[in-house]
């Protein structure tokens, strides 16, 4: 019998109540010591549960289940595509004048339900959910021990993210994690912060960021009736009001207004004293302002305007889709949305990106976008490759056996040498070549980067969006950030697990996050101690599991939660390739120009056919081909992160080129063919990266009708050279490079003009000719003539 | 038994509050004990236990019986919550003085509380020094009081693997407590 089994058997005897000395008799010392230790641990006094708290929690979870059921029953069917509420997100609206605004739960005749909207107004009454009085606590479930009460005349703030404060009697603000709130108290959330307020009967109010609320009155009667009045001068709230069998009131006031509700779910947004709106998820709400009253039903929204009162209810739109056009009119999944000055745009979405849109559809069919938020950058044509650097050349690298192309615009982490594990990101070109725009070193001491809210900060210890960040004498701090500010922080998680910042810089907007860490938990996710939210758009490497080292990338939402765009396994040195592309051929498989090898073990998700958009997870096979572990069909129509436009240069300087359409192209990412000048027409291919910025641009000057003499040697002029890779003279390639880089090429043995000998093992020159850069030059001549205005 | 629980879970997923209440009553004691074994503070464990079940209510619709066992799923929620709590309150998890009243209510004398506190603290420190999985097995076996098979189910391991972790964990703990 092995020692593990024997130890287990002896421990079972101990648990069964046998005498310890009898068990230890004859056992080896080591085993005996282990059993003694286990006995000591087992003998520790164990706390028992507080009965009143157990009763209270039992009651509370049942009430929560009931509230959840009521909310779910009100959700719109998926078929009502433009009316699907996106869980947890509040509407943000625009509009207008701050008057007296109120809402009243409609008790009268119901209005017709708009087409496509499900409706369930039947109150669900469950006997065991009636309010409890006489000494029952409702607060045992709250996450700190200090909050306990038997008083139903209070509400509780919990589920706090970021900074949430309660105002004291002397007007100062106390930052809290949870708090018992009485009538008359005011509380607020900061940037990237959120909280939930729960009343005695389970009625809840979710507060979004930058929201201010006062409980004006709060009274529960033993009969079960309820009287609640809230004042909301600013921000967004989402109310789930538990239905009551007895006469009750639930009042929400915005400046100069008041109203009532019960047994309904609705949202209130107050942009400022002159802009507010109300939308209903469930039930019916009456909104009053300027002596005008309207009733709104599920799926409707009304804007309250100065001097005119609430507008006629219109269809409330919430959906997700891919942007194919920006400007004053946006096309999202082919549907037109008008923008106006009140439209809020978050995350700078670009063509190809997935966005969440919230807005309204007027009676004449015109749709206005109130809020557009980027959900996910377009990934078509982009790839991410994690692997071992085996060779580094001027134009070609080898990473885990795969040839990738770099150029002078490729951003490469300092210190990368052969033998490092790196993450390479870039585009798969039409030829199938993998052009890298960014190479990042993935060393053991994992780096991190994110933009978040400063919750606390001392000399060398900070709390930023829930993460404890430490600084040392080398940390650079810019902008004198204070609690409440948003900062961009990057650094390294050192060996003892400390997040050490290299720099902390105050910024105006939150951005993305990126870090590497051990996956501690799935569903809900926890990576390196950070709770990570995922959704249906999150790309999760199939090999990610608990215990795997993973790289996670995403953004911090307004409510302070961390939403992942991508979670990618970094286990071992295994090379992984992830990309989204269009199926160009099946049997043999080719996606985005890359030949792929699918085997019986490949997991194929969805009905994939020619031209389907798919997400591919692959690993290199020994023969250098890509072995696909998983290929998924994506519902979204194919889009490209790269756009091609013909445009006019309106200004240019040493740093940037500005086009008439508004695109500003950094010269550092631009491949330029021809001589640039203001007023010139150019043909440009622009590619957008994860940061919404242009990270690759190919600009070709269209021959001008009246060409301006070009200054000699101006930056942007190109030269054809023959490039001889270091240590691989047989792999010579004909390249077009900028004049500024010619000296560097000549210095290591390249020569001017096309290569004379094409008989090499490297990419043949005819393949070079397929390189889009060369294509562009070729196209330029053709297209340039065609586009010559 | 499994069918009965599956039925309760399905009813809970359909929003039946009574079924949710049954799940709470079935599991609250062990979840409480587990959290206490991690945080060493009974009052805090009370509160976090409540929060675990509130999260259970929020997420139960996404639970799939064909995936992890329900108990294992609950333990995941608890572990995540503890991680969150530790992250937000990185200072200390020692038993606060203000909780003495509760301890007395439960019939534990102040002197034994101090003694227990020290012992629990010593144990916590030692558990933090050994491998995570080993520490989890030690907690679940000897602080929560689960049998090997039950631990295996919650950690989604084989009983043999749990026995091996138990053996190595006790050995490592002995070393850590020296």
């Amino acid at each position: 019998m092995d020692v593990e089994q024997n130890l287990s058997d002896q421990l079972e005897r101990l648990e069964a109540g046998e005498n310890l000395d009898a068990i230890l008799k004859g056992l080896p010392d080591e085993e005996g010591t282990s059993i003694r230790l286990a006995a000591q641990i087992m003998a520790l006094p164990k706390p028992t549960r507080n009965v009143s708290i157990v009763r209270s929690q039992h009651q509370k979870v049942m009430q929560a289940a009931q509230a959840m059921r009521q909310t779910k029953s009100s959700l719109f069917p998926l078929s009502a595509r433009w009316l699907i509420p996106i869980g947890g997100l509040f509407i943000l609206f625009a509009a207008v004048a701050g008057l007296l605004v109120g809402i009243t739960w409609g008790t009268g005749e119901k209005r017709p339900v708009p087409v496509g909207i499900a409706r369930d107004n039947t109150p669900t009454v469950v006997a065991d959910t009636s309010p409890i009085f006489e000494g029952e606590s409702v607060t045992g479930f709250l996450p700190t021990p200090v909050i306990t009460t038997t008083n139903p005349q209070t509400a509780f703030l919990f589920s706090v993210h970021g900074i949430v404060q309660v105002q004291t009697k002397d007007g100062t603000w106390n930052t809290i994690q949870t708090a018992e709130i009485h009538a008359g108290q005011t509380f607020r959330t900061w940037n990237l912060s959120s909280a939930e307020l729960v009343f005695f009967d389970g009625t809840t109010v979710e507060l979004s960021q930058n929201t201010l609320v006062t409980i004006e009155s709060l009274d529960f009667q033993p009969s079960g009736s309820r009287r609640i009045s809230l004042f909301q001068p600013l921000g967004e709230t989402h109310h789930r009001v538990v239905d009551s069998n007895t006469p009750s009131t639930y009042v929400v006031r915005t400046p100069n207004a008041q109203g009532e509700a019960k047994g309904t779910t609705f949202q209130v947004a107050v942009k400022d004293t002159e802009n507010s709106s109300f939308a209903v998820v469930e039930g019916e709400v009456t909104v009053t302002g300027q002596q005008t009253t309207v009733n709104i039903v599920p799926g409707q929204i009304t804007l309250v305007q100065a001097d005119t009162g609430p507008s006629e209810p219109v269809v409330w739109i919430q959906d997700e889709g891919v942007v194919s056009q920006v400007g004053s009119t946006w096309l999202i999944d082919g549907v037109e949305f008008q923008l106006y000055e009140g439209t809020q745009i978050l995350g700078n979405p670009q063509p190809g990106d997935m966005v969440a849109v919230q807005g309204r559809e007027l009676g004449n069919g015109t749709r206005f976008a109130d809020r557009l938020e980027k959900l996910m950058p377009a990934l078509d044509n982009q790839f991410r490759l994690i692997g071992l650097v085996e060779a580094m050349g001027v134009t070609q690298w080898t990473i885990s056996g795969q040839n990738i192309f770099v150029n002078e615009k490729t951003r490469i982490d300092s210190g990368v040498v052969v033998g490092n594990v790196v993450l390479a990101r870039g585009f798969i070109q039409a030829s199938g070549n993998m052009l890298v725009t960014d190479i990042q070193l993935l060393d053991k001491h994992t780096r991190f980067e994110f933009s978040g809210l400063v919750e606390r900060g001392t000399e060398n210890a900070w709390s930023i969006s829930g993460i404890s960040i430490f600084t040392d004498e080398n940390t650079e701090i810019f902008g004198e950030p204070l609690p409440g500010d948003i900062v961009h922080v990057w650094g390294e998680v050192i060996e003892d697990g400390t997040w050490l910042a290299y720099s902390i810089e105050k910024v105006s907007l939150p951005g993305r996050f990126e870090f590497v860490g051990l996956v501690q938990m799935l569903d809900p996710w926890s990576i390196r101690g950070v709770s990570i939210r995922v959704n249906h758009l999150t790309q999760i490497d199939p090999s990610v599991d608990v215990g795997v080292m993973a790289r996670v990338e995403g953004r911090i939402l307004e409510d302070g939660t961390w939403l992942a765009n991508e979670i990618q396994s970094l286990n071992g040195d295994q090379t992984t390739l992830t990309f989204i592309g269009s199926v160009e051929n099946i049997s043999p498989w080719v996606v985005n120009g890359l030949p792929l090898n699918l085997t019986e073990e490949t997991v194929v998700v969805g009905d994939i056919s020619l031209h389907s958009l798919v997400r591919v997870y692959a690993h290199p096979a020994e023969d250098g081909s890509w072995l696909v572990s998983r290929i998924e069909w994506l519902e979204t129509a194919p889009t490209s992160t790269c756009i091609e436009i013909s445009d006019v240069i309106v200004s240019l300087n040493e740093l940037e080129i500005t086009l008439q359409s508004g695109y500003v192209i950094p010269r550092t990412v631009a491949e330029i063919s021809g001589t640039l000048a203001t007023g010139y027409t150019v043909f440009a291919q622009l590619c957008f990266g994860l940061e919404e910025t242009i990270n690759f641009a190919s600009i070709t000057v269209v021959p001008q009708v009246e060409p301006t003499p070009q200054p000699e040697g101006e930056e942007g002029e190109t030269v054809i050279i023959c490039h001889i890779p270091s240590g691989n003279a047989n792999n010579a390639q004909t390249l077009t490079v900028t004049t500024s880089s010619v000296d560097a090429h000549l210095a290591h043995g390249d020569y001017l003009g096309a290569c004379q000998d094409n008989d090499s093992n490297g990419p043949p020159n005819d393949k070079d000719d397929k390189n889009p850069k060369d294509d562009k030059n070729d196209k330029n001549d053709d297209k340039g003539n065609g586009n010559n205005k | 038994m499994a069918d009965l629980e599956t039925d309760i879970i399905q009813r809970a997923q359909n929003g039946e509050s009574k079924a949710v209440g049954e799940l709470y009553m079935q599991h609250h004691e062990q979840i409480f004990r587990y959290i206490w074994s991690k945080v060493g503070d009974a009052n805090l464990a009370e509160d976090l236990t409540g929060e675990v079940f509130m999260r259970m209510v929020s997420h139960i619709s996404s639970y799939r019986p064909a995936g992890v066992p329900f108990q294992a799923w609950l333990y995941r929620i608890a572990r995540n919550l503890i991680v969150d709590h530790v992250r937000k309150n990185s200072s200390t998890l020692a038993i606060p003085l203000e909780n003495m009243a509760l301890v007395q209510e439960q019939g534990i004398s102040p002197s034994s509380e101090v003694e227990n506190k020290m012992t629990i603290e010593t144990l916590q420190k030692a558990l933090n020094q050994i491998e995570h999985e080993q520490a989890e097995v030690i907690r679940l076996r000897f602080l929560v009081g689960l049998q090997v098979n039950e631990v295996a189910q919650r950690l989604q391991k084989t009983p043999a693997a749990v026995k091996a972790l138990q053996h190595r964990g006790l050995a490592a703990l002995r070393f850590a407590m020296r």
Side-chain angles (χ1 to χ4, degrees):
Chain A
M1 182 183 296
D2 63 41
V3 289
E4 291 158 2
Q5 182 62 48
N6 191 44
L7 176 68
S8 186
D9 291 345
Q10 305 313 319
L11 287 170
E12 278 184 26
R13 290 173 61 194
L14 183 68
E15 288 168 304
E18 272 196 56
N19 181 281
L20 179 61
D21 291 335
I23 296 170
L24 294 176
K25 204 171 182 179
L27 283 181
D29 280 352
E30 193 174 333
E31 208 164 315
T33 314
S34 286
I35 290 174
R36 272 203 191 89
L37 178 57
Q40 284 174 359
I41 299 171
M42 289 159 68
L44 285 171
K46 311 292 189 302
T48 54
R49 295 218 60 189
N50 181 313
V51 175
S52 66
I53 292 177
V54 169
R55 287 170 60 196
S56 164
Q57 289 181 353
H58 182 240
Q59 193 75 32
K60 202 69 202 172
V61 294
M62 289 198 297
Q63 287 176 345
Q66 186 195 5
M68 191 78 74
R69 182 182 192 175
Q70 288 176 334
T71 303
K72 279 184 180 172
S73 68
S74 72
L75 292 180
F76 308 146
L78 291 174
S79 56
R81 184 168 173 69
W82 290 102
L83 300 169
I84 300 169
I86 302 166
L89 288 178
F90 298 167
I91 46 173
L92 182 31
F93 330 88
V96 208
L99 303 184
L100 193 71
V101 175
I103 49 177
T104 307
W105 184 64
T107 54
E109 189 180 336
K110 308 294 183 189
R111 288 197 164 200
V113 179
V115 174
I117 297 175
R119 179 172 185 164
D120 180 3
N121 282 327
T122 310
T124 305
V125 181
V126 180
D128 57 14
T129 60
S130 55
I132 315 156
F133 284 87
E134 298 177 352
E136 294 286 349
S137 165
V138 296
T139 60
F141 70 97
L142 292 167
T144 68
V146 292
I147 307 298
T148 54
T149 183
T150 57
N151 182 4
Q153 314 304 347
T154 56
F156 296 92
L157 266 178
F158 68 111
S159 289
V160 164
H161 280 108
I163 299 177
V164 178
Q165 295 180 315
V166 177
Q167 194 169 33
T168 61
K169 286 180 181 173
D170 64 6
T172 58
W173 294 91
N174 282 344
T175 301
I176 54 99
Q177 285 297 315
T178 59
E180 194 172 22
I181 306 291
H182 300 267
Q185 283 193 286
T186 299
F187 42 97
R188 67 184 181 187
T189 57
W190 286 57
N191 265 331
L192 300 182
S193 304
S194 62
E196 194 167 343
L197 183 74
V198 61
F199 292 98
F200 187 71
D201 65 346
T203 293
T204 58
V205 183
E206 292 173 10
L207 286 80
S208 188
Q209 66 171 353
N210 296 319
T211 298
L212 182 64
V213 171
T214 299
I215 297 184
E216 294 186 314
S217 64
L218 167 56
D219 180 33
F220 279 90
Q221 295 298 314
S223 64
S225 70
R226 164 191 67 215
R227 189 176 299 279
I228 295 173
S229 175
L230 306 176
F231 177 54
Q232 181 187 332
L234 191 65
E236 300 173 28
T237 52
H238 183 179
H239 306 255
R240 284 194 298 272
V241 184
V242 173
D243 192 34
S244 173
N245 293 327
T246 55
S248 294
T249 59
Y250 186 89
V251 175
V252 176
R253 274 199 326 117
T254 58
N256 304 322
Q258 75 170 34
E260 289 184 32
K262 71 172 184 181
T264 189
T265 303
F266 62 97
Q267 300 176 0
V268 180
V270 183
K271 191 173 180 183
D272 51 44
T273 56
E274 297 191 342
N275 295 277
S276 60
S277 61
F278 298 81
V280 172
V281 174
E282 180 189 12
E284 188 169 349
V285 168
T286 302
V287 179
T288 305
Q290 278 293 71
Q291 299 172 335
T292 302
T293 298
V294 298
N295 290 328
I296 43 178
V297 296
Q300 287 190 332
I301 181 173
T302 182
L303 309 178
V304 184
Q305 305 185 1
D307 304 329
T308 60
S311 66
E312 273 303 306
V314 294
V315 173
W316 172 31
I317 296 170
Q318 293 198 108
D319 201 9
E320 299 171 0
V322 174
V323 177
S324 54
Q325 177 184 311
V326 299
S328 59
T329 301
W330 284 48
L331 274 180
I332 300 171
D333 269 3
V335 177
E336 278 191 4
F337 281 89
Q338 305 299 320
L339 267 62
Y340 65 105
E341 60 184 13
T343 303
Q344 187 184 22
I345 302 177
L346 302 174
N348 189 23
Q350 297 292 330
D353 290 343
M354 172 78 80
V355 295
V357 57
Q358 298 172 7
R360 296 159 280 135
E361 181 177 324
L362 306 187
N364 62 7
T366 306
R367 296 182 182 87
F368 282 96
D370 294 319
R371 172 189 169 117
L372 292 161
E373 181 182 15
K374 179 173 168 178
L375 293 179
M376 189 180 75
L379 293 172
D380 189 20
N381 295 331
Q382 293 193 8
F383 74 88
R384 290 122 193 271
L385 171 64
I386 293 174
L388 192 72
V389 177
E390 294 169 352
M392 300 165 64
V394 176
T395 58
Q396 272 194 53
W397 287 35
T398 306
I399 296 181
S400 291
Q402 302 300 314
N403 286 334
I404 59 167
F405 289 82
V406 298
N407 61 22
E408 59 268 37
K409 310 300 181 193
T410 303
R411 198 168 55 237
I412 302 171
D413 265 3
S414 62
V416 175
V417 294
V418 170
N420 283 151
V421 176
V422 295
L423 165 68
R425 290 184 280 206
F427 302 97
I428 300 171
Q429 299 177 308
S431 60
N433 287 344
M434 297 163 74
L435 175 64
V436 180
T437 56
D438 177 61
I439 296 178
Q440 186 182 338
L441 186 61
L442 296 177
D443 49 14
K444 286 183 181 174
H445 301 288
T446 50
R447 297 175 186 189
F448 66 84
E449 180 178 4
F450 67 94
S451 300
L453 176 74
V454 178
E455 295 164 349
R456 293 184 299 278
T458 61
E459 192 175 346
N460 55 10
W462 300 58
S463 176
I464 301 175
S465 280
I467 306 293
S468 295
I469 300 289
F470 293 87
T471 58
D472 63 13
E473 65 278 6
N474 297 319
T475 305
E476 294 182 297
I477 298 178
F478 303 100
E480 299 181 0
L482 295 171
D485 287 337
I486 297 172
V487 292
H488 180 257
V489 52
W490 73 281
E492 186 173 303
V493 183
I494 56 179
E495 285 179 358
D496 66 359
T498 301
W499 294 55
L500 177 66
Y502 293 160
S503 83
I504 299 175
E505 182 177 5
K506 187 174 169 181
V507 294
S508 58
L509 289 171
R512 53 191 282 274
F513 66 80
E514 177 180 346
F515 65 92
V516 172
L518 198 68
V519 177
Q520 296 159 316
M521 206 175 304
L522 311 177
D523 188 25
W525 287 76
S526 177
I527 300 177
R528 193 180 278 284
V530 181
S531 291
I532 299 293
R533 199 171 120 192
V534 301
N535 65 13
H536 62 292
L537 296 174
T538 306
Q539 295 182 76
I540 302 174
D541 185 337
S543 60
V544 169
D545 203 348
V546 171
V548 162
M549 190 63 82
R551 176 181 164 278
V552 55
E553 177 182 311
R555 62 204 167 88
I556 300 176
L557 303 182
E558 288 180 357
D559 66 2
T561 56
W562 295 49
L563 175 66
N565 283 338
E566 181 181 15
I567 303 173
Q568 194 166 22
S569 169
L570 300 180
N571 240 12
D573 291 337
Q574 191 179 32
T575 303
T576 59
L577 171 70
T578 314
F579 68 97
I580 291 176
S582 177
V583 176
E584 293 167 6
N585 197 52
I586 294 176
S587 188
W589 284 79
V590 179
V591 177
N592 268 25
L594 275 191
L596 300 175
N597 190 2
L598 274 71
T599 68
E600 288 181 355
E601 293 179 357
T602 302
V603 178
V604 180
V605 180
D607 187 15
I608 300 173
S609 57
L610 212 57
H611 308 304
S612 291
L613 188 70
V614 291
R615 177 183 291 135
V616 177
Y617 300 93
H619 303 280
E622 286 181 4
D623 63 2
S625 65
W626 288 107
L627 196 58
V628 178
S629 57
R630 184 181 176 95
I631 182 167
E632 302 170 346
W633 176 74
L634 298 178
E635 188 178 0
T636 309
T639 58
S640 173
T641 32
C642 301
I643 60 171
E644 293 184 348
I645 57 171
S646 177
D647 209 338
V648 176
I649 298 172
V650 291
S651 71
L652 74 169
N653 56 36
E654 291 178 352
L655 301 174
E656 295 169 342
I657 303 152
T658 305
L659 304 182
Q660 200 166 43
S661 56
Y663 288 111
V664 179
I665 304 163
R667 281 203 187 241
T668 51
V669 300
E671 296 274 0
I672 300 167
S673 298
T675 304
L676 303 177
T678 303
Y680 273 21
T681 298
V682 293
F683 176 76
Q685 182 193 33
L686 308 177
C687 296
F688 300 89
L690 295 174
E691 295 279 9
E692 305 95 28
T693 52
I694 297 171
N695 63 5
F696 176 77
S698 171
I699 303 174
T700 305
V701 179
V702 174
Q704 308 299 303
V705 177
E706 295 177 4
T708 306
Q710 73 182 57
E712 191 176 347
E714 182 172 336
E715 187 179 351
E717 196 173 359
T718 57
V719 174
I720 292 174
I721 64 160
C722 180
H723 169 64
I724 316 279
S726 177
N728 190 6
N730 290 332
N731 196 17
Q733 303 150 56
T734 300
L735 295 179
T736 303
V737 300
T738 56
T739 50
S740 59
S741 65
V742 168
D743 288 345
H745 283 283
L746 298 182
H748 67 247
D750 297 353
Y751 56 87
L752 292 171
C755 297
Q756 300 302 306
D757 179 11
N758 290 336
D759 187 20
S760 71
N761 296 325
N765 280 345
D766 62 353
K767 188 171 182 180
D768 288 339
D769 291 343
K770 289 177 189 169
N771 186 312
K773 284 187 297 183
D774 299 335
D775 275 348
K776 290 289 174 302
N777 291 335
D778 298 335
K779 267 185 210 168
N780 178 32
D781 296 330
D782 302 336
K783 219 163 202 171
N785 292 333
N787 288 342
N788 203 343
K789 295 174 182 174
Chain B
M1 177 67 185
D3 287 345
L4 179 63
E5 181 167 90
T6 303
D7 177 58
I8 297 172
I9 292 166
Q10 283 175 350
R11 287 192 290 120
Q13 288 180 319
N14 290 333
E16 195 179 310
S17 59
K18 195 175 172 187
V20 169
E22 285 178 47
L23 288 174
Y24 174 86
M25 293 310 288
Q26 277 180 16
H27 300 289
H28 78 89
E29 191 74 52
Q30 285 188 347
I31 291 293
F32 165 76
R33 189 72 70 81
Y34 172 69
I35 294 174
W36 168 79
S37 78
K38 302 272 282 188
V39 303
D41 178 344
N43 271 5
L44 178 58
E46 290 279 17
D47 297 324
L48 292 177
T49 301
E51 188 71 9
V52 166
F53 286 93
M54 291 301 279
R55 288 196 185 185
M56 176 195 80
V57 173
S58 301
H59 295 96
I60 197 164
S61 60
S62 66
Y63 171 72
R64 294 287 171 271
V68 297
F70 188 72
Q71 293 94 331
W73 186 71
L74 274 184
Y75 274 73
R76 275 187 188 175
I77 295 177
R79 283 200 298 272
N80 198 31
L81 199 61
I82 293 165
V83 168
D84 279 355
H85 180 83
V86 171
R87 185 161 55 79
K88 285 182 178 171
N89 306 274
S90 54
S91 52
T92 176
L93 288 171
I95 300 175
L97 286 176
E98 57 267 30
N99 295 342
M100 291 301 284
L102 178 72
V103 172
Q104 285 170 336
E105 244 179 52
Q106 292 172 352
I108 303 170
S109 72
S111 59
S112 70
E113 165 62 12
V114 171
E115 190 181 317
N116 296 337
K117 172 186 170 186
M118 294 306 293
T119 307
I120 290 167
E121 283 188 339
T122 309
L123 178 62
Q124 294 287 359
K125 277 186 183 171
L127 286 170
N128 287 336
Q129 291 172 37
I130 69 175
E131 279 187 24
H132 175 72
E133 285 193 329
Q134 294 171 1
E136 284 289 281
V137 169
I138 301 294
R139 286 192 179 98
L140 291 171
R141 284 284 286 120
F142 308 121
L143 289 175
V144 180
L146 300 185
Q147 297 301 308
V148 168
N149 285 345
E150 294 173 314
V151 175
Q153 191 185 35
R154 279 151 186 76
L155 298 183
Q156 294 183 272
K157 294 188 177 299
T158 62
V162 171
K163 286 173 188 171
L165 285 166
Q166 173 179 264
H167 179 257
R168 293 202 302 272
L170 283 170
L173 197 60
R174 281 189 348 241
F175 184 78
M177 293 186 85
R178 277 176 189 167

